[in-house]
Amino acid sequence: MADRLKWFIAECKPTRERTIRNDLQKAGYEVFVASQKETKIYKSRNKREIEHVLIGGRIFVHIEENRLMEILLNFSSVWRFQQNRAASPDSNGILPYAFVPEDQMQQLQYVLGQADNPVVISADDFVPQQEVRVMRGPLEGLRGWFLKKGHSCYIKLRIEMGQTQYYETEVLAEDVQPV
């Protein structure tokens, strides 16, 4: 049974990761939220330890694939499980669920547990003015220039429309690759 358990990626509201983790743990599920404890010092010189979530809107659940639906049915705060967009769909056109390999999950847990300094998780290695191409989504195939990282997991692109016109939009970082 333990060999069939995988770390699936549940999507939820970005500010509710810790609450959902606690609810799932109370129900007996093994859950991990990529977070790190930080000591915050306020103007009044009071110190408080806070838990800073590094991957917003994502919770890792260690479970068998055939039990994913029971979480979706019993916990309305879990919206869905992330699908692997890079994989081929099955005969019904459905993409498989994305999961994190056990060794990578152990490394993530170790780094977050042992690091003395804040850990920054970045999904992109783009540099300003780097040319990129949108690989998925409604803008698939468009080329543009990476401008900056926006809020959450979005990047800002500048896409030219002729010689003197251009527009800027936000695209998921995972949907873009360098040209």
Side-chain angles (χ1 to χ4, degrees):
M1 178 176 155
D3 58 341
R4 294 190 327 225
L5 294 176
K6 295 178 183 175
W7 286 100
F8 290 97
I9 307 162
E11 296 181 12
C12 63
K13 188 174 180 181
T15 58
R16 306 276 299 156
E17 303 92 355
R18 295 180 299 262
T19 305
I20 296 167
R21 173 194 57 201
N22 296 341
D23 292 346
L24 287 170
Q25 285 175 336
K26 284 179 189 173
Y29 296 102
E30 184 179 356
V31 183
F32 178 72
V33 172
S35 63
Q36 192 173 28
K37 298 212 185 276
E38 296 177 8
T39 302
K40 186 132 177 138
I41 302 173
Y42 295 95
K43 289 181 181 179
S44 63
R45 297 186 187 146
N46 291 337
K47 291 182 183 180
R48 184 174 167 200
E49 193 169 89
I50 60 168
E51 183 179 7
H52 177 68
V53 176
L54 300 173
I55 304 175
R58 303 289 188 275
I59 298 171
F60 301 95
V61 182
H62 200 222
I63 194 171
E64 295 172 332
E65 187 170 356
N66 61 359
R67 294 184 59 207
L68 294 177
M69 197 54 78
E70 88 185 35
I71 290 178
L72 294 173
L73 293 173
N74 295 325
F75 297 91
S76 61
S77 51
V78 176
W79 293 341
R80 63 180 172 215
F81 282 91
Q82 193 169 338
Q83 293 179 310
N84 183 355
R85 294 183 188 176
S88 300
D90 65 8
S91 59
N92 296 324
I94 299 173
L95 293 170
Y97 291 107
F99 65 90
V100 179
E102 189 72 37
D103 59 332
Q104 291 179 14
M105 197 63 180
Q106 288 174 354
Q107 287 175 345
L108 176 63
Q109 291 172 336
Y110 178 78
V111 167
L112 292 177
Q114 300 299 319
D116 291 333
N117 295 322
V119 175
V120 177
I121 297 177
S122 176
D124 56 64
D125 295 325
F126 301 118
V127 294
Q129 299 305 316
Q130 179 180 11
E131 189 174 5
V132 294
R133 186 169 141 237
V134 180
M135 300 304 295
R136 289 183 286 270
L139 301 177
E140 181 178 351
L142 285 178
R143 288 181 177 217
W145 286 266
F146 169 73
L147 294 179
K148 65 179 180 178
K149 184 158 175 76
H151 64 284
S152 185
C153 56
Y154 290 91
I155 62 169
K156 198 166 202 67
L157 289 182
R158 177 179 172 170
I159 300 172
E160 290 189 3
M161 300 293 290
Q163 292 181 341
T164 58
Q165 295 179 329
Y166 66 91
Y167 68 92
E168 294 178 5
T169 187
E170 288 188 340
V171 179
L172 280 170
E174 64 191 27
D175 292 344
V176 176
Q177 76 175 25
V179 174

